[in-house]
Amino acid sequence: MLRSGMTEGVHYGSVVVLAPDGSTLFEAGDVDAAFYPRSAAKPMQAVAMNRLGLALPPRLLALSAASHSGEQIHLHGAEQILTTAGFHTRDLGNPEDFPYDPVQRDRWLATRRSPSKLAHNCSGKHAAMLAACHLRGWSTADYLDPGHPLQQAIAETVEDLSGQPVARVAVDGCGAPLFAVSQRGLATAISRIARAAAGSSEGLVAQAIRAHPEMVAGTRRDVTKLMNAVPGLIAKDGFEGVQVAALADGTSIVVKVADGSDRARQPVLAAVLTLCGVDAALLKPFAGTTGEDGLKIVGALAERLREVK
């Protein structure tokens, strides 16, 4: 990262970009090693639950694939999923937390409001998981067990969409099982979702994300702003420096910052999107740091990726 022409920080990582037909447009780093997608896996989880028969309105389907900010639209949405299926906030298996959005968090702290399971950024996904279990007649007390039918169905969907066997199963920060695949596999999955037929589960998830990007992240989040800026784009971030994105034609990108830093995630994605033909003017707000330094970083990254290619 640069500031006034001087290197301020150095981040290592890997990136892969696939064409709509699955061929590799370019790659850097070991993109075939298994890694944890973290919350970037949520669109695949949403597809799995829709395949199980869970039919949610588009804004709530988008919320089921979200790492939301804890704004009122998110809290109300997660609560709606729960109450419609006959559940309560206490049934959620995710931890209690304050809202992810700093404005909302400050408001909660100022009023001495306690952390809540509903405010956790994964509550939409967990609410949908409970609703899917209710629909199928499965037990709910153990819905986060990797051996539960719900989690087995999600693992099968991850393998189907990615075209790879799950390499390892871990526990994500929210308590849900986390299925490791490679960056190439994740890029294959997000491409399939982005270019899917309108009536399919994949297509419904893509349509919901495009129609309601504010539900996937939040009104002040860079991921939401990026989807609003680039027509047809679907995007999802994840902890530990993970970012996925796919253009409307299915061109897909997966970024993993090796040190887990969030700072490099968006500038790298902006650089890669320019290589994919997205107008650089649309990406200016996502260049990283401030002013011309940010644009120089994106330009330098794009040049480096061209050399790697």
Side-chain angles (χ1 to χ4, degrees), residues 64-211:
S64 75
S67 298
H68 66 71
S69 290
E71 298 172 65
Q72 286 303 311
I73 54 172
H74 307 125
L75 304 184
H76 290 160
E79 196 167 34
Q80 184 178 349
I81 296 173
L82 287 171
T83 56
T84 299
F87 294 102
H88 187 273
T89 301
R90 62 175 171 269
D91 298 311
L92 292 169
N94 57 263
E96 295 180 343
D97 203 355
F98 292 104
Y100 185 80
D101 179 77
V103 174
Q104 290 297 114
R105 179 182 290 253
D106 287 348
R107 288 173 180 165
W108 279 48
L109 293 173
T111 59
R112 298 185 178 181
R113 192 170 176 180
S114 299
S116 163
K117 287 188 173 187
L118 205 62
H120 190 282
N121 73 90
C122 297
S123 67
K125 176 185 77 174
H126 281 258
M129 285 181 172
L130 286 169
C133 289
H134 175 74
L135 177 70
R136 303 289 292 199
W138 293 333
S139 60
T140 56
D142 59 342
Y143 79 95
L144 295 180
D145 189 314
H148 191 281
L150 170 68
Q151 302 303 336
Q152 290 294 299
I154 290 173
E156 290 172 6
T157 297
V158 169
E159 292 186 335
D160 173 54
L161 292 176
S162 68
Q164 298 179 346
V166 169
R168 188 178 292 270
V169 181
V171 179
D172 211 340
C174 66
L178 180 61
F179 304 108
V181 293
S182 72
Q183 284 179 248
R184 193 183 306 278
L186 184 57
T188 299
I190 201 69
S191 174
R192 285 189 57 184
I193 292 171
R195 59 186 169 82
S200 65
S201 293
E202 297 94 319
L204 289 171
V205 170
Q207 182 182 10
I209 290 173
R210 291 181 180 121

Side-chain angles (χ1 to χ4, degrees), residues 234-260:
I234 63 173
K236 184 71 189 73
D237 56 341
F239 282 155
E240 295 299 317
V242 181
Q243 176 75 60
V244 302
L247 296 169
D249 67 356
T251 300
S252 60
I253 301 162
V254 177
V255 173
K256 173 67 173 84
V257 183
D259 64 6

